[in-house]
Amino acid sequence: MGLGKLSVRVNGADCGIEAIMLGVVTSVGGFLFGYDTGQISSMLLFRDFINRFGQWQTDPETGERFKAFDTIISSLIVSLMSIGTLVGALSGAYTADWWGRRRSLSFGVAIFIVGNIIQITAMDSWVHLTMGRLVAGLGVGNLSVGVPMFQSECCPREIRGAVVASYQLMITIGILVSNAINYGVREIQDNDASWRIVIGLGIGFSLPLGIGILFSPESPRWLAGRGQWEESRMSLARLRGMKDDPHNELVVDDFKEMQESIAEQAKVGQGSWAECFTGSSGLPKVVYRTLLGCTIHFLQQWTGVNYFFYYGATIFNSAGIEDPIMVQLILGAVNVAMTFPGLYIVERLGRRIPMIVGAVWQALWLLIFASVGVARPPTEYTSSGIVMIVAACMFIASFAMTWGPFAWVVIGETFPLRTRAKQASLATAGNWFGNFLIGFLTPFANDGIGYAFGFVFFGCNLAAAFLVYFFLYESKSLSLESVDLMYSEPSLKPWQSSKWVPPGYITRMDRDNAYWQRRTSILDDARGGGDMFEKDGRSDEEKSEVPPRPFEHVENVGATRDERRV
């Protein structure tokens, strides 16, 4: 029996095994993101790594010469990968639209492998190593755009939030695995195998995504956007586990809901980069959504999470902690364990409330971290080091449950199809720009203001809470097309959006079957089995007098459940 014939019930609806497998395979992209993020923190402490790529320093008291990294060099080694990911994220819009979502992801994996090979072959030049990290970053950036977008476009709405959130879960697992491997190879840190093994394993980890994705269904929305309606329907059927029953009512209803929005957007042609900032197409809130996505992802980095994952070992080492790599392993374990509740929360509590509560909680623990570090330096007070580790764990626990996975969910479902790839690229580029600034500025901040840098992250988390409350709409349980409709409502405020129900639904989870039975699809029309109008009893002559269009607009768009008239 083929995979396309199998389905399971999730949240009361049929979801194909292929949709679940797609979510698992594509999330390997998140693993690569996390693995590359986590490995550099401990590698900066390995003796062979320092001796090969560090700079000669002189002890001012003894005159003794030794190898260590200049602040600017360590900043560049860590942060230039983020410049690569930023460029890769922007280029991901082109490859995803030109080649399709699947082949774009395979391309990203290939670039990542090339970058890792360049790093492994570095001998004594930090520039050689850094160029490898830059190239690997191009691949990771491409994947960081393509994976959440592909998952959002393919997965049924009942599991979309959890599947996209699993991308962040795999990021956390990647960080943990890299920390565990670093912990294991530290016993041979005088040998170049210590860091070459860590980098080389990344190549092996990338292969399941690069190869496995080619056996997954293509995005039905990408196919529909290119006018391949029958292929789009078959892709939807496979993702619902109904490969041999593409005319099943559930598949047909999904198709009808999708095609209306896509057909309307296709009337005004292909979206441009300028449109993301001008809204020239006339589609609602395009600029609003571009800026919202970019800001959310920039602030995801400036919550402070990679302050710990990039430089945690160095920070805790300078704080007098005896085994900073073990502390990194603990933080990574907390990150993984607490992401699992996030997969449940995103489908039960929605997006807005967890992100607001999470940001406030994170701000509280960062305030404690910074205050203790400044008032009672851990180098002088052992208890301060313990309190700071606890504060870091509590911060990461909240980030893993909320802002870590939820930011990726938001960019996967907020943008209209016409400009989705470009807006997702811009939002992800905002993430990597924030990532670059953290990686580059942290060594200088540690030298300058020390633990007071935590107060900056405290302020950023509060700003993030206000941003979500006043600007982000609640998209829980909505199809991507319904999310687009919701943002189209001029009178609907973000803090009221959780009560909004799309046309054709009794609640967000329950379709009004009578509504969808009165509508026909493009494919039905092509076969002569229907027209593009609701069945209202008009004669063929009367219908022919009206110019054809995908669907007639209904009066109750955006109505609440009590107001709905179908």
Side-chain angles (χ1 to χ4, degrees):
M1 179 178 289
L3 283 177
K5 300 178 183 177
L6 299 178
S7 65
V8 294
R9 300 285 291 181
V10 180
N11 282 350
D14 287 298
C15 299
I17 296 296
E18 284 192 276
I20 296 172
M21 292 301 296
L22 180 148
V24 172
V25 170
T26 53
S27 289
V28 174
F31 180 91
L32 301 181
F33 179 171
Y35 188 79
D36 233 54
T37 297
Q39 68 185 22
I40 194 63
S41 177
S42 298
M43 281 166 49
L44 288 172
L45 300 180
F46 289 168
R47 285 189 289 270
D48 183 80
F49 194 81
I50 294 171
N51 290 334
R52 286 177 180 273
F53 306 115
Q55 293 71 52
W56 284 107
Q57 315 288 338
T58 302
D59 190 311
E61 296 181 1
T62 65
E64 181 181 352
R65 286 171 58 77
F66 62 96
K67 280 285 190 79
F69 283 107
D70 290 341
T71 300
I72 184 66
I73 301 302
S74 64
S75 291
L76 290 173
I77 290 175
V78 172
S79 63
L80 274 184
M81 179 188 168
S82 299
I83 293 297
T85 52
L86 191 155
V87 175
L90 294 175
S91 68
Y94 291 105
T95 58
D97 280 342
W98 290 343
W99 303 336
R101 310 317 195 206
R102 294 185 306 166
R103 282 175 287 183
S104 178
L105 294 181
S106 289
F107 174 75
V109 169
I111 297 299
F112 173 79
I113 291 173
V114 170
N116 275 18
I117 291 173
I118 295 173
Q119 292 179 73
I120 292 172
T121 56
M123 299 303 294
D124 300 298
S125 170
W126 69 268
V127 176
H128 185 156
L129 178 80
T130 304
M131 288 303 100
R133 285 182 58 77
L134 183 71
V135 173
L138 292 172
V140 173
N142 181 288
L143 296 174
S144 66
V145 171
V147 169
M149 179 168 60
F150 187 51
Q151 291 175 329
S152 294
E153 291 184 348
C154 289
C155 292
R157 61 189 176 87
E158 292 85 3
I159 63 170
R160 186 183 67 234
V163 168
V164 179
S166 71
Y167 179 73
Q168 175 65 24
L169 173 63
M170 292 302 288
I171 292 177
T172 67
I173 293 175
I175 292 173
L176 178 62
V177 169
S178 66
N179 287 337
I181 294 173
N182 278 330
Y183 185 77
V185 300
R186 65 180 182 161
E187 300 299 329
I188 58 169
Q189 62 177 291
D190 289 317
N191 190 303
D192 64 344
S194 59
W195 55 273
R196 293 190 202 274
I197 288 174
V198 176
I199 297 172
L201 285 173
I203 296 175
F205 292 141
S206 69
L207 294 178
L209 172 59
I211 298 172
I213 193 64
L214 297 177
F215 296 93
S216 299
E218 181 55 271
S219 162
R221 288 168 173 84
W222 182 78
L223 291 169
R226 297 173 67 88
Q228 300 176 34
W229 293 104
E230 186 59 47
E231 292 86 347
S232 174
R233 187 207 288 271
M234 286 304 302
S235 179
L236 281 173
R238 290 175 64 184
L239 294 167
R240 282 292 189 182
M242 300 172 181
K243 181 179 179 179
D244 295 334
D245 187 17
H247 299 287
N248 183 280
E249 182 180 355
L250 183 60
V251 176
V252 171
D253 287 349
D254 282 346
F255 184 80
K256 290 176 182 177
E257 187 171 357
M258 175 188 72
Q259 69 159 14
E260 178 175 6
S261 175
I262 292 174
E264 287 288 346
Q265 293 178 42
K267 289 181 179 180
V268 287
Q270 184 67 33
S272 65
W273 287 101
E275 183 183 317
C276 298
F277 297 100
T278 63
S280 55
S281 68
L283 294 175
K285 289 189 173 75
V286 171
V287 180
Y288 177 106
R289 287 186 263 183
T290 299
L291 297 178
L292 177 64
C294 291
T295 307
I296 283 178
H297 265 264
F298 181 85
L299 287 175
Q300 189 210 39
Q301 288 299 313
W302 277 83
T303 56
V305 64
N306 280 332
Y307 170 72
F308 294 105
F309 286 126
Y310 277 151
Y311 294 105
T314 303
I315 293 166
F316 291 118
N317 186 48
S318 64
I321 304 299
E322 292 183 4
D323 195 345
I325 297 180
M326 174 58 80
V327 173
Q328 281 297 94
L329 196 56
I330 293 172
L331 296 182
V334 171
N335 198 20
V336 171
M338 299 311 296
T339 303
F340 283 99
L343 303 183
Y344 175 83
I345 291 171
V346 72
E347 296 295 4
R348 289 296 180 267
L349 301 182
R351 286 54 160 160
R352 281 173 48 84
I353 292 177
M355 291 182 77
I356 294 169
V357 173
V360 173
W361 179 264
Q362 289 154 204
L364 173 65
W365 286 103
L366 284 166
L367 180 63
I368 294 172
F369 178 90
S371 299
V372 171
V374 171
R376 293 172 57 89
T379 50
E380 300 176 19
Y381 301 92
T382 305
S383 59
S384 293
I386 297 173
V387 171
M388 292 173 70
I389 292 173
V390 171
C393 287
M394 298 300 287
F395 161 78
I396 288 172
S398 174
F399 179 87
M401 281 192 292
T402 58
W403 273 80
F406 285 42
W408 296 107
V409 173
V410 166
I411 69 158
E413 59 191 19
T414 298
F415 309 126
L417 176 69
R418 172 182 163 80
T419 50
R420 182 174 297 145
K422 293 179 175 64
Q423 287 176 293
S425 290
L426 289 167
T428 309
N431 185 292
W432 288 113
F433 180 62
N435 192 302
F436 165 75
L437 291 179
I438 293 292
F440 186 77
L441 295 176
T442 295
F444 296 100
N446 286 341
D447 290 345
I449 59 176
Y451 299 112
F453 199 24
F455 292 124
V456 176
F457 299 128
F458 163 75
C460 288
N461 277 275
L462 289 184
F466 281 106
L467 174 76
V468 171
Y469 181 80
F470 287 107
F471 297 102
L472 180 67
Y473 287 72
E474 180 56 70
S475 50
K476 173 180 176 287
S477 299
L478 295 176
S479 70
L480 297 186
E481 291 69 38
S482 293
V483 173
D484 202 37
L485 271 178
M486 178 173 61
Y487 275 94
S488 304
E489 288 296 304
S491 61
L492 184 66
K493 304 300 181 185
W495 51 90
Q496 302 168 336
S497 58
S498 61
K499 298 179 181 179
W500 185 87
V501 179
Y505 285 79
I506 301 170
T507 70
R508 287 194 174 192
M509 293 298 295
D510 300 317
R511 277 191 171 118
D512 185 329
N513 292 328
Y515 175 92
W516 296 104
Q517 288 170 2
R518 291 199 302 268
R519 306 180 83 81
T520 56
S521 75
I522 284 175
L523 293 177
D524 292 334
D525 189 45
R527 290 191 298 267
D531 52 52
M532 299 305 294
F533 298 94
E534 293 189 17
K535 299 178 182 178
D536 56 4
R538 292 179 292 176
S539 69
D540 291 341
E541 291 77 9
E542 290 173 319
K543 292 176 182 177
S544 65
E545 295 174 359
V546 186
R549 52 189 175 182
F551 286 107
E552 291 185 318
H553 293 293
V554 292
E555 295 181 359
N556 61 341
V557 172
T560 62
R561 180 179 180 181
D562 294 334
E563 298 167 339
R564 188 156 308 288
R565 296 171 300 171
V566 177

